[in-house]
Amino acid sequence: MDLRCAGMLCVLCLILTVRAFTQERFKEVVLKQLGLSEVPKLHKRDLVDLVIPEHVKNKYMSMLKHQRVKRRALPSLAGILRGIPGHTGEVHYSNSTTRQKLMFDMEGRIPKNSEVTMAELKLFKKPLDRANLPAKQFHRPVSNARVSVYWVQRQHDGTNRTSLIDSRLVPIRESGWKSFDVTQAVHYWLRNKRQEPMFLEVWIEGERVGSYASEMAKAVRFTSQDPKDKALGKPELVLYTLNLDDYGSPGDCREEAVMGKSTCCRQKHYISFRELSWAQHWILEPVGFQAYRCSGSCLQLPGTLRRLGSGQRSCAVAGSSALPIIYLVKRGNRTEIEAAEFPNMIVESCSCVTDG
């Protein structure tokens, strides 16, 4: 690790281990990491009809999937497969994109004292109806459509905000089950603690810019939740849950850690970008993240060793991982959308270290 990364990690260690978390200090770290001197000054016109460019979306999803693979460790015996039936939803079509709304009743589906290690959305792609294909023209062949899954958050003012969860290319001429990783959406729903279903949106778009690719994408049809849709394969939400009583991670805090009665451990600490006034408009994805922090006490060294120069032992960050984001940046009169990866933003492990 070079000195710059080590220095940044130390700053984040201090932020994530103290209880008195300050927005201002966190803002300084974020701006420094992006090479910005201040929060971008945006106008209403900068936020109207925002469309994330395809290359930015691809870069973000690539970074996000890399982090998921690194962090996920599905237990071979403890993973419990739970199918969640869907409820009636709506399907909307427009000239430029196909959008399908999904609703899943989550109440009572996740056992107490368990952790959702993975969530999978399974959609059944109907056989291709060639009548839906546009007339053949002199265009480059189009083989795929881009299918993206968004989590929908209902605001108190009645509006909706969406967050990109997964995105992939789906062959237009193939039928059958297609799976999407929606773990992040379930974690968002759990974070909100609302007594309401989980809402998702499926967007079907052209694999590249242009009217022909967009028209080809309209031929992609998934079985909907609507009871009138008699096709096989209704949408399914599958959860893999871990029983923490039997398989809880020894490195994560139990409830007693909140009272400061445990040994050094990793404690949950969620940061919501949409609740931070300085970040809610220009950090587009994710809506927030589980940063964690280190908490608990450490066994102290004997007094004779401390007199020889060793200080107090304290609980600190021992390992961390990066957080991918999509954000807006002002360059002169232009507003651009970019993807970046913040190193050392998610605490992965904690340990006792000696001061000095």
Side-chain angles (χ1 to χ4, degrees):
M1 180 184 293
D2 60 30
L3 290 176
R4 181 174 175 273
C5 286
M8 184 64 69
L9 177 58
C10 288
V11 171
L12 287 166
C13 288
L14 290 173
I15 291 176
L16 296 173
T17 51
V18 296
R19 292 183 182 276
F21 172 77
T22 63
Q23 290 192 26
E24 195 62 31
R25 192 70 190 98
F26 181 56
K27 180 173 74 173
E28 289 175 13
V29 172
V30 170
L31 293 176
K32 183 177 180 180
Q33 192 61 41
L34 291 175
L36 301 175
S37 59
E38 60 182 6
V39 172
K41 295 178 180 178
L42 301 170
H43 302 284
K44 284 187 177 181
R45 63 177 179 272
D46 298 318
L47 305 174
V48 175
D49 298 327
L50 279 175
V51 177
I52 299 175
E54 202 66 25
H55 72 279
V56 173
K57 186 186 294 185
N58 289 340
K59 182 179 178 181
Y60 175 73
M61 292 310 307
S62 176
M63 292 187 295
L64 195 62
K65 288 178 180 178
H66 177 67
Q67 291 301 326
R68 286 173 181 170
V69 169
K70 282 177 63 178
R71 288 205 300 270
R72 180 181 296 138
L74 280 178
S76 57
L77 297 177
I80 304 172
L81 189 65
R82 298 178 185 273
I84 297 183
H87 285 238
T88 303
E90 302 173 82
V91 181
H92 296 283
Y93 297 106
S94 67
N95 292 330
S96 60
T97 184
T98 301
R99 299 188 186 183
Q100 181 175 344
K101 294 183 179 181
L102 301 175
M103 182 175 74
F104 293 98
D105 185 1
M106 303 287 282
E107 189 174 358
R109 300 292 180 175
I110 301 174
K112 290 184 178 180
N113 199 29
S114 66
E115 178 183 328
V116 177
T117 58
M118 182 178 176
E120 184 180 29
L121 175 66
K122 297 179 66 177
L123 301 175
F124 187 81
K125 185 180 176 300
K126 300 178 181 180
L128 178 65
D129 183 354
R130 296 189 177 277
N132 292 328
L133 290 174
K136 286 187 177 180
Q137 302 176 29
F138 296 102
H139 294 280
R140 277 193 299 149
V142 173
S143 302
N144 304 297
R146 175 160 294 282
V147 179
S148 302
V149 180
Y150 291 81
W151 173 63
V152 181
Q153 182 182 23
R154 295 193 168 186
Q155 306 293 300
H156 295 296
D157 61 2
T159 61
N160 291 337
R161 291 190 68 175
T162 61
S163 183
L164 178 62
I165 299 299
D166 199 3
S167 181
R168 55 172 290 201
L169 293 176
V170 171
I172 293 174
R173 289 174 171 81
E174 291 182 9
S175 63
W177 288 102
K178 307 298 177 184
S179 297
F180 299 86
D181 185 340
V182 293
T183 312
Q184 194 176 14
V186 175
H187 288 170
Y188 286 157
W189 180 86
L190 287 169
R191 167 66 187 170
N192 278 356
K193 295 180 180 177
R194 293 186 181 179
Q195 302 301 314
E196 64 176 23
M198 184 176 75
F199 297 94
L200 300 175
E201 275 190 4
V202 179
W203 294 18
I204 307 171
E205 304 165 292
E207 67 173 331
R208 61 172 184 263
V209 176
S211 60
Y212 182 64
S214 178
E215 288 300 314
M216 285 291 291
K218 291 180 182 179
V220 173
R221 295 286 190 272
F222 292 108
T223 305
S224 73
Q225 292 176 326
D226 192 333
K228 297 176 183 177
D229 190 344
K230 301 300 182 182
L232 297 175
K234 296 292 184 183
E236 294 180 12
L237 183 62
V238 180
L239 301 184
Y240 295 84
T241 61
L242 190 66
N243 186 333
L244 296 179
D245 288 334
D246 298 327
Y247 297 95
S249 170
D252 287 349
C253 297
R254 300 282 183 172
E255 288 187 7
E256 62 268 20
V258 179
M259 307 303 294
K261 297 178 181 179
S262 77
T263 55
C264 181
C265 58
R266 189 179 71 154
Q267 183 180 339
K268 288 184 177 180
H269 178 66
Y270 188 85
I271 296 175
S272 172
F273 286 126
R274 291 186 179 169
E275 292 175 6
L276 297 175
S277 58
W278 57 268
Q280 59 186 223
H281 296 303
W282 65 281
I283 295 183
L284 304 180
E285 302 287 352
V287 298
F289 69 105
Q290 190 64 258
Y292 296 99
R293 62 183 171 197
C294 296
S295 177
S297 59
C298 294
L299 186 64
Q300 299 301 318
L301 296 171
T304 53
L305 291 178
R306 289 205 298 274
R307 283 196 295 270
L308 293 174
S310 296
Q312 293 282 322
R313 300 181 76 231
S314 57
C315 187
V317 178
S320 62
S321 61
L323 174 73
I325 69 162
I326 297 178
Y327 64 102
L328 288 173
V329 62
K330 291 282 288 187
R331 289 194 170 90
N333 294 325
R334 292 181 296 125
T335 304
E336 298 181 0
I337 301 177
E338 297 186 356
E341 198 170 52
F342 284 0
N344 306 318
M345 291 297 283
I346 301 171
V347 176
E348 296 293 347
S349 59
C350 304
S351 67
C352 292
V353 297
T354 304
D355 297 338

